[in-house]
Every structure is written in C-alpha cells, then in structure tokens.
Amino acid sequence: MVQSCSAYGCKNRYDKDKPVSFHKFPLTRPSLCKEWEAAVRRKNFKPTKYSSICSEHFTPDCFKRECNNKLLKENAVPTIFLCTEPHDKTPVNLSVFCDHNYTVEDTMHQRKRIHQLE
C-alpha cells in the first residue's frame, strides 16, 4: 500500500525521490492522537493504523536529528494546513494574499496564523 497524506487536500504520496516523510497517527497515545485528529479538521475522520500525515504539515521545530536521521519529536502535532474540508453550505475562503512575499517561511507563518485566527 502506497503511503499518502491524510490531510484534506494534500496530494503527497510516498516517493523515494522526494524529501517528504510520512508519520503515522499516534494511536497508542489517545490524547496526542486526538490533537492530530483535531488538527486535520476532517469531518468524521477516524485514523487507522495506515493513516499518516506528511512532513509538510509539521513546523521545523517538530523534528530532531538522531544518527543522521530526521525524526518527529514525541509530542509533535501537525499545524500547517492550507486547506480544510468544506462544511455544509459554509463558504470558505482559503486564499491568502500578500503584497510583499519576501520569503516562503514568512508566507507559511502568515498562512498558519491566519488559519488559526479563522
């Protein structure tokens, strides 16, 4: 089974040539798993042992280096989501407009903050 991201609207699938990693939902840690489920914001979504989130939904500080491997920290929660599942009859504007897009990091931070505020 090919790994793919469970985040709504994310098209990432495992590809050995791409620097995207996939992280399984922490099913054995119910409180942390609930945080992941809430972060995904998908209506009626219940993760299975096959469900995972790609590394693009985690901030850089969610990772640690061990023996030349980039690992997800134990209490990391995905927070970067550009799309959420639309709710019934609720218009959702997911566009973010910036006059001066100087760096990708600033834009991602701005989108994350706007999304949190919404």
Side-chain angles (χ1 to χ4, degrees), residues 21-67:
S21 56
F22 290 84
H23 307 277
K24 299 273 186 204
F25 276 74
L27 299 175
T28 59
R29 300 175 62 199
S31 61
L32 184 61
C33 192
K34 289 284 184 205
E35 289 184 60
W36 282 41
E37 287 176 44
V40 170
R41 295 183 185 157
R42 286 181 59 187
K43 194 175 179 182
N44 301 320
F45 174 75
K46 288 291 176 203
T48 68
K49 64 181 181 180
Y50 304 107
S51 301
S52 59
I53 299 288
C54 75
S55 55
E56 290 186 359
H57 301 289
F58 294 90
T59 57
D61 63 326
C62 288
F63 295 95
K64 62 183 176 182
R65 286 248 177 233
E66 282 188 15
C67 301

Side-chain angles (χ1 to χ4, degrees), residues 100-117:
H100 302 81
N101 186 3
Y102 294 116
T103 66
V104 173
E105 186 172 327
D106 283 344
T107 302
M108 291 303 291
H109 177 71
Q110 290 169 0
R111 287 182 182 170
K112 177 183 165 190
R113 183 68 182 135
I114 288 169
H115 186 70
Q116 288 172 338
L117 293 171

